Amino acid sequence: MSKASHLSGMTAPLEMSVEAGNRGDAAWLDDDGRPRRTGTVWTASAHIITAVIGSGVLSLAWAIAQLGWGAGPAVMLLFAGVIYYTSTLLAECYRSGDPMAGKRNYTYMDAVRASLGGAKVRLCGVIQYANLFGVAIGYTIAASISMLAIKRADCFHVKGHKNACRSSSNPYMILFGIVEIVFSQIPDFDQIWWLSIVAAVMSFTYSTIGLSLGITQTVANGGFKGSLTGISIGAGVTSTQKVWRSLQAFGNIAFAYSYSIILIEIQDTVKAPPPSEAKVMKKATMLSVATTTMFYMLCGCMGYAAFGDAAPDNLLTGFGFYEPFWLLDIANVAIVVHLVGAYQVFCQPLFAFVEKWAAATWPDSRFIAREVRLGPFALSVFRLTWRTAFVVLTTVVSMLLPFFGDVVGLLGAVSFWPLTVYFPVEMYIVQRGVPRGSTRWICLQTLSAACLVVSIAAAAGSIADVIDALKVYRPFSG
């Protein structure tokens, strides 16, 4: 699944009361009055793995190509280590105070509100919702590229690989937008249980196909391609471009790993202590990050081994592979199906936030409150108007910036430090009362500062590449 959650933690806590002595009801409820949670290490691991392994995996071969055999795998392992460590810090913030019986925080923002409060809650909200908007744009681009790749793969098969088979991605972005307008009218889409199953199957389908094709191509080449330092300066790549693209590679890797924004929601599915939810989540994090890293290393490294410096920024649409064309079609259909659902799951928190704010601001407005149900759809004029406008906006912006690798890198860079490192570190310091100036405090702040530098550098690299691409790109032309 994409880096999003179908979990009930995104909804408001159920308003339920447990009468004293009503033991029959109490047996089915947790300490907060919610239905008893049943999650385990294995279910939490499954949620994390399906959330993390998304379209970001397709850009890892390109990222390693920029860094080379020396730095590429090392950077990937470094990010895995940072993600694991900061995730364990964040897991400690699920309960405020006592880790066994403290007040539960149902969402990431709830945890920030409980530990930090004030302006930092608003800052977290701005970053989180801006990131969700950016992901919607990134997924629109990725889906349209995959749809275009299906048409081009079939064209190459019929007319030969030397044929340009040119076509515009704009019609496919519009088609994707129309589909999303329809699906966006389903409220609480993130709670449809089958969505996770479909998304997980689709994720592993296209990732496995990419890995298999990379292995096959490497065998056909008679050995590994690539070099210790990555793509060479010369042949169309200046020293400045080499630097920017290397920095962008950091953002791509960060995007592929990030899942902190939904960690608290996943933890909210774990059954009550003993052991504490934090201990269960730490074990799940170790298992899932190790599994994901192994999978990423295989996909990224085999893609680079197959194509070397020519590794495309999207392994399944950059046409390093041409045959078997039908297998590429299956992989790209899987990506599109995955992204149709992922777009909705990612946007649900943003939809809910705006609609809750509007309802609170204009409580007597029939335009906002009136609703008509048609099967699974709950239609209201306000929802239809605002969600349609949102999808149209993301589609138009996507048509202006159809650069998959650049957008992925920028999203990863912008969200990595604040959501994955800064807030978890600051919340943990408050939660555990780490003394200011102590060795542990200094180490945590050093980690945060180092990751801030990495985020800024990766963002600069992605922005520079977008600017470079815009010099030769005509908006809405393709």
Side-chain angles (χ1 to χ4, degrees):
M1 180 176 169
S2 64
K3 290 171 270 303
S5 175
H6 69 292
L7 309 173
S8 60
M10 283 184 174
T11 60
L14 296 175
E15 296 297 332
M16 304 178 72
S17 62
V18 181
E19 298 294 337
N22 193 349
R23 299 181 184 276
D25 290 341
W28 296 98
L29 301 175
D30 271 332
D31 55 350
D32 60 345
R34 280 189 162 196
R36 190 170 294 281
R37 296 159 176 82
T38 58
T40 64
V41 169
W42 297 107
T43 60
S45 298
H47 284 312
I48 295 172
I49 291 170
T50 54
V52 172
I53 296 178
S55 58
V57 69
L58 302 175
S59 67
L60 292 178
W62 180 90
I64 293 181
Q66 310 312 306
L67 302 171
W69 285 117
V75 169
M76 201 173 293
L77 290 173
L78 179 63
F79 271 97
V82 171
I83 293 289
Y84 167 72
Y85 180 67
T86 58
S87 295
T88 63
L89 299 182
L90 186 56
E92 294 281 358
C93 302
Y94 172 65
R95 286 185 183 265
S96 299
D98 189 336
M100 301 288 282
K103 178 182 176 296
R104 297 173 186 265
N105 297 306
Y106 301 107
T107 67
Y108 192 105
M109 284 204 52
D110 286 344
V112 174
R113 184 177 292 107
S115 297
L116 303 177
K120 289 184 179 180
V121 178
R122 293 188 289 274
L123 176 62
C124 176
V126 170
I127 295 171
Q128 181 178 351
Y129 294 128
N131 185 53
L132 295 179
F133 179 75
V135 168
I137 294 170
Y139 282 176
T140 301
I141 295 171
S144 69
I145 291 174
S146 289
M147 286 188 276
L148 180 60
I150 294 171
K151 180 177 180 180
R152 294 188 68 198
D154 295 347
C155 175
F156 287 137
H157 178 71
V158 174
K159 299 182 179 179
H161 302 165
K162 293 183 178 180
N163 192 292
C165 291
R166 296 188 184 280
S167 184
S168 172
S169 62
N170 289 336
Y172 299 102
M173 291 189 188
I174 294 171
L175 175 61
F176 184 79
I178 292 171
V179 172
E180 294 302 347
I181 288 173
V182 174
F183 277 105
S184 69
Q185 301 311 310
I186 303 178
D188 304 321
F189 195 80
D190 53 302
Q191 295 179 3
I192 298 177
W193 61 270
W194 53 266
L195 183 62
S196 282
I197 297 175
V198 172
V201 171
M202 294 300 103
S203 294
F204 278 103
T205 296
Y206 64 71
S207 298
T208 302
I209 290 174
L211 172 60
S212 301
L213 290 173
I215 293 172
T216 302
Q217 185 66 44
T218 302
V219 172
N221 293 341
F224 284 17
K225 288 189 174 183
S227 63
L228 192 63
T229 57
I231 192 167
S232 304
I233 297 172
V237 179
T238 66
S239 57
T240 302
Q241 287 176 322
K242 167 73 174 178
V243 172
W244 289 134
R245 291 179 184 178
S246 296
L247 294 177
Q248 183 189 335
F250 280 71
N252 286 34
I253 295 172
F255 178 83
Y257 268 113
S258 296
Y259 73 96
S260 296
I261 195 172
I262 60 166
L263 184 144
I264 296 293
E265 285 83 354
I266 293 174
Q267 193 167 347
D268 192 45
T269 67
V270 175
K271 60 185 176 184
S276 70
E277 296 94 347
K279 288 184 177 179
V280 173
M281 201 63 189
K282 288 177 182 178
K283 291 180 181 178
T285 296
M286 177 178 288
L287 179 62
S288 55
V289 169
T291 302
T292 303
T293 299
M294 180 179 68
F295 200 73
Y296 278 5
M297 290 287 279
L298 286 171
C299 288
C301 292
M302 291 313 302
Y304 183 44
F307 299 112
D309 290 355
D313 73 343
N314 186 316
L315 196 58
L316 294 174
T317 63
F319 288 97
F321 303 114
Y322 291 96
E323 299 290 344
F325 78 100
W326 56 268
L327 189 59
L328 289 173
D329 286 354
I330 292 174
N332 282 297
V333 167
I335 293 173
V336 174
V337 173
H338 169 214
L339 293 177
V340 166
Y343 182 105
Q344 286 301 316
V345 175
F346 246 110
C347 291
Q348 278 300 321
L350 184 56
F351 290 161
F353 171 78
V354 171
E355 286 156 19
K356 183 179 179 181
W357 170 82
T361 305
W362 299 285
D364 300 322
S365 173
R366 287 177 58 81
F367 173 71
I368 294 172
R370 190 175 180 181
E371 194 171 83
V372 178
R373 284 194 170 270
L374 298 172
F377 294 88
L379 300 178
S380 73
V381 177
F382 175 65
R383 181 182 293 122
L384 179 64
T385 303
W386 116 257
R387 292 192 181 189
T388 299
F390 175 87
V391 175
V392 169
L393 179 60
T394 59
T395 303
V396 171
V397 174
S398 301
M399 292 166 69
L400 285 168
L401 296 172
F403 314 118
F404 175 74
D406 302 328
V407 171
V408 163
L410 186 58
L411 288 174
V414 169
S415 64
F416 173 68
W417 177 71
L419 298 178
T420 303
V421 182
Y422 174 74
F423 285 117
V425 164
E426 293 300 313
M427 286 190 289
Y428 178 81
I429 288 174
V430 172
Q431 182 85 348
R432 291 292 174 261
V434 179
R436 186 179 184 87
S438 65
T439 301
R440 187 167 182 77
W441 184 89
I442 292 172
C443 290
L444 288 170
Q445 295 296 345
T446 301
L447 172 65
S448 182
C451 290
L452 172 60
V453 172
V454 171
S455 275
I456 293 173
S462 295
I463 292 171
D465 223 33
V466 169
I467 293 173
D468 203 35
L470 285 173
K471 291 178 181 177
V472 296
Y473 174 71
R474 291 183 300 167
F476 301 109
S477 65

